[in-house]
Amino acid sequence: MSPEEWTYLVVLLISIPIGFLFKKAGPGLKKWGAAAVGLGLTLFTCGPHTLHSLVTILGTWALIQAQPCSCHALALAWTFSYLLFFRALSLLGLPTPTPFTNAVQLLLTLKLVSLASEVQDLHLAQRKELASGFSKGPSLGLLPDVPSLMDTLSYSYCYVGIMTGPFFRYRTYLDWLEQPFPGAVPSLRPLLRRAWPAPLFGLLFLLSSHLFPLEAVREDAFYARPLPARLFYMIPVFFAFRMRFYVAWIVAECGCIAAGFGAYPVAAKARAGGGPTLHCPPPSSLEKAAALEYDYETVRNIDCYGTDFCVRVRDGMRYWNMTVQWWLAQYIYKSAPARSYVLRSAWTMLLSAYWHGLHPGYYLSFLTIPLCLAAEGRLESALRGRFGPGGQRAWDWVHWFLKMRAYDYMSMGFVLLSLGQTLRYWASIYFCIHVLALVALGLGLALGGRSPSRRKTGSQATSLAPEKLREE
């Protein structure tokens, strides 16, 4: 592990006891205490580069105040433009930010764009009320009023997920501050239930990264190995990549759970990133609050089983970095300048790559996903339905195997980063996933397979094991 990775791990671990301290505190202490801790961590890890986050916050707040009716698009343009400036600092002869500054800036971009969208929704709802002449009462997820500058700063610098996620909306943050009976919200048992696989994943990460170091792929000697060895190597590289993020995101979720952050009654049917989808009145007494069953789906950032064992490429995206996937679906995919599912996905993946950084490997990896989506959608709709139950089961196993190899292949661009090294590795295995996807797409078209955008999909993603096993 690099020194930066150790720092991330320490920040994540100390957020757990801090969360227990804040859980039962009053709204004021939660608000300013959490902001003070977050700002302290930012100053400690970023130093003077903290100025970048402050400029981004002030710029977004000014846009919200000036144009509340259209602040969402303006905030998106402002924060994404600042990302470009932020990443071009070395080219401009300015000090290069630390990796921690980049992490803070990434999460802050998501939060500020979401905040602007929430304010815009509130303003539009108020205008409709004025036009209709009557009030409909509070709507699900709607803010009570426009946040002040200090509210915006406290939300932006809240220590929860400040470097690693999960992403959360301002409405979620407000709900945490205003929890009526925080002592009734369970924390310890959900935390232990969520945390138990993290040590195992950590050991697997250390073992796999030691046995199959990424640096080997950058050496000339690697390309003298036989083709099967080169093909195989991407499997443990992606395995180590997954284990690393599994640990980070699980511990980050535990920090939320310790503070009772993102806890909602199960009846609210909360979604990762978005929060409740059904209105659930707050309990009127401690006894009623204690009788409720709660979950932390709002801050759930990874479904490890779903990531590894779902069948389709499209489903794999939903289980990975789930709160950010919600953000991308809500603010990028829905407003994409196309109607086709594949083209909308390509637009979303392009902006996702830009959000991650300017390294060519990001773009090579993310823009391979739409090709895989088109190929699997066309071929599955053309062939899978022609088989009986046993044949469909066999199809799903083959589909799952190829899905995992596709993600192995794409992950190499994500970790190698440079154009030359990514293309060199892909060329050494003859661009096999690109070729396979093009063949599958051509075969699906020839057999009359429908576009993924027109294909009906169930509410649950296909998995290779019963739901009971998945929950366990």
Side-chain angles (χ1 to χ4, degrees), residues 278-291:
L278 296 177
H279 182 66
C280 189
S284 57
S285 66
L286 179 61
E287 292 74 17
K288 290 183 179 180

Side-chain angles (χ1 to χ4, degrees), residues 218-235:
R218 305 182 195 274
E219 299 172 357
D220 292 337
F222 176 83
Y223 296 94
R225 300 182 184 185
L227 175 61
R230 298 196 302 271
L231 268 171
F232 170 77
Y233 208 85
M234 65 183 182
I235 298 176

Side-chain angles (χ1 to χ4, degrees), residues 76-88:
L76 182 64
W78 157 247
T79 54
F80 271 55
S81 297
Y82 196 88
L83 279 179
L84 181 60
F85 165 74
F86 176 78
R87 284 157 179 162

Side-chain angles (χ1 to χ4, degrees), residues 246-284:
Y246 287 176
V247 172
W249 285 333
I250 287 175
V251 178
E253 287 180 40
C254 288
C256 296
I257 295 171
F261 195 105
Y264 290 99
V266 172
K269 295 189 181 298
R271 293 183 60 190
T277 59
L278 296 177
H279 182 66
C280 189
S284 57

Side-chain angles (χ1 to χ4, degrees), residues 306-358:
T307 299
D308 280 12
F309 292 104
C310 69
V311 170
R312 304 184 184 97
V313 171
R314 67 185 296 173
D315 296 330
M317 293 190 296
R318 295 171 183 166
Y319 293 126
W320 176 268
N321 206 359
M322 295 164 69
T323 59
V324 175
Q325 294 298 333
W326 180 90
W327 187 95
L328 288 169
Q330 189 74 15
Y331 302 121
I332 305 298
Y333 179 86
K334 288 184 177 179
S335 59
R339 297 184 65 185
S340 161
Y341 168 73
V342 172
L343 292 179
R344 282 187 168 199
S345 298
W347 172 254
T348 305
M349 292 301 102
L350 175 63
L351 292 191
S352 179
Y354 173 80
W355 177 75
H356 279 84
L358 300 180

